Amino acid sequence: MNQIFHPSANVIAKASIGVLIVLVGVLSVFLYFFVRSSWMTGVNISEPQPVPFSHLHHVRQVGLDCRYCHTSVEEAASANIPPTETCMTCHSQIWTDAPMLEPVRVSWRDNVSLEWERLHDLADFVYFNHSIHVNKGIGCETCHGRVDNMALPMKVNTLQMEWCLECHRNPAKYIRPTDEVFTMGYAETVPAGHDPLVEGHELVAQYGIEVGRLDNCSICHR
Amino acid sequence: MSKTVNKSLFGITLLIFLALLTSGCDLIPGRHMRDQPKLKPLAASTLFDNRRASQIPPANTVPRGEWYEFMSDEPFYTGRQNGEFIDIIPIEVNREVLLRGQERFNIYCSPCHGLVGNGQGMVVQRGFKQPNSFHTDQVRSQPDGYFYDVMTNGFGVMYSYAARVHPEDRWAIVAYIRALQFSQNVPLDSLPTEDRQQIESLVE
């Protein structure tokens, strides 16, 4: 009986194992970077919104506090996207004929919600709560970045689990005094020669944060 | 190479591939764990005609249970008793409450009224109608309930802040407004001698 395979098939068979391993490696590396890319996470990409709302204008230039609009951030899971009434508190009187604000006026007149494009869309099996973070010294900018510099809303962190855990495993690195939570650019206000990490460990103890428990599954997944 | 080694190599490779597939669940469209059929606060929903997941309570209703509280403490919730403004702050005023009032005032009031309550806030500088300064005899002589009522129901072009500031915080703001008014209207005789002399030396 003739042999079906030429002797060189042995070499090909062995080589293909090597090729397969290399392919798996390449694929793994590709996926590692792909799931972390802006294309997947939406980091630094601004979506079209009904109104091109500028935090830079309202926070930096007008000086509004975060809580003027995000009223429930200190006491609820959701920070609150303000109702049209909040916009109209000022814009019933100023910029009343700005074409940019027409959707706001339509919403107010017809009692129809403005439908903003959600940028920070956590998976539904994650139960994030703003109030606990804000009340325990995690600043707005720690997760949301320098919102006061954003002419258009944008997300600056991936919100992936590895990113959450980075802080949940070492909160001292990120914590700040509770009266600085709404401060933008806090790091620049820390005096030179002052080690934030030392203060961080003190605050973690002071606020009763149990670091060992923060990476329990059920802290975020219920 | 023996047959068994080849087989297990093949098996391991296959497992690695399968593991890779499961790790990519996020990439697969229609990812049901991620987007579950539940509504998050303020999300859009097709359940109601107005497309709101968070519905607005019907007009002239109060949340269950709160009506009794409301009825039992009318001055606290309305700033009025028997239709008249009360001239007392119906919560204990202490340092903590004043600091809370200051914080809330700076967040919600200062954009128009200014940090000292002179009506020169940033939004006014940008064209909003200038509110009365708190430091006139006319405003100083208003009863405490009046300020609470303005925050609760709005006044002129000022919208209601009832949805943004809790009743306790509104009273804390009233207390802070009184502190602001005092700060701009302290009788010279009431100062300690040292401070009075310092001011008098400045005037001369």
Side-chain angles (χ1 to χ4, degrees), chain A residues 15 22 35 46 85 89 96 117 165 173 199 211 214:
Chain A
V22 170
V35 296
S46 71
E85 183 185 13
T89 303
T96 48
E117 196 60 44
L165 283 175
K173 221 169 128 185
E199 191 196 40
V211 179
L214 282 186

Side-chain angles (χ1 to χ4, degrees), chain A residues 20 24 27 40 57 61-62 64-65 67-68 71 74-75 80-81 85 88-90 92-94 108 111 113 115 122-125 127, chain B residues 9 13 16-17 20 27 33-36 38 40-42 51-52 103-104 107-108 111 122-123 126-128 157 159-161 164 166:
Chain A
L20 201 67
V24 168
L27 191 68
M40 279 306 293
H57 170 70
Q61 296 171 347
V62 179
L64 293 180
D65 190 283
R67 292 163 285 186
Y68 187 87
T71 48
E74 292 171 299
E75 52 205 34
N80 185 37
I81 297 295
E85 183 185 13
M88 292 303 283
T89 303
C90 294
S92 62
Q93 298 295 318
I94 53 177
W108 185 240
N111 192 20
S113 296
E115 293 193 28
L122 278 180
D124 283 0
F125 45 82
Y127 293 81
Chain B
L9 250 182
T13 321
I16 290 173
F17 265 107
L20 275 177
L27 312 179
M33 274 288 275
R34 206 165 215 291
D35 294 322
Q36 297 164 18
K38 69 175 181 185
K40 289 183 178 178
L42 304 174
R51 292 182 50 76
R52 289 170 183 163
E103 185 192 66
R104 298 291 120 173
I107 297 170
Y108 296 104
M122 188 55 103
V123 178
R126 304 235 167 194
F128 200 92
V157 293
Y159 278 20
S160 160
Y161 277 74
R164 283 169 260 189
H166 295 306

Side-chain angles (χ1 to χ4, degrees), chain B residues 70-126:
Chain B
F70 183 83
M71 288 302 280
S72 66
D73 203 351
E74 192 191 344
F76 177 78
Y77 284 101
T78 64
R80 289 168 191 267
Q81 190 152 37
N82 306 322
E84 297 285 310
F85 288 130
I86 54 172
D87 198 12
I88 187 171
I89 295 170
I91 56 171
E92 196 199 322
V93 178
N94 51 33
R95 184 183 161 76
E96 205 180 303
V97 166
L98 277 173
L99 286 173
R100 175 79 180 173
Q102 179 182 41
E103 185 192 66
R104 298 291 120 173
F105 180 91
N106 290 348
I107 297 170
Y108 296 104
C109 314
S110 73
C112 287
H113 289 282
L115 288 167
V116 291
N118 60 1
Q120 296 280 352
M122 188 55 103
V123 178
V124 171
Q125 292 173 37
R126 304 235 167 194

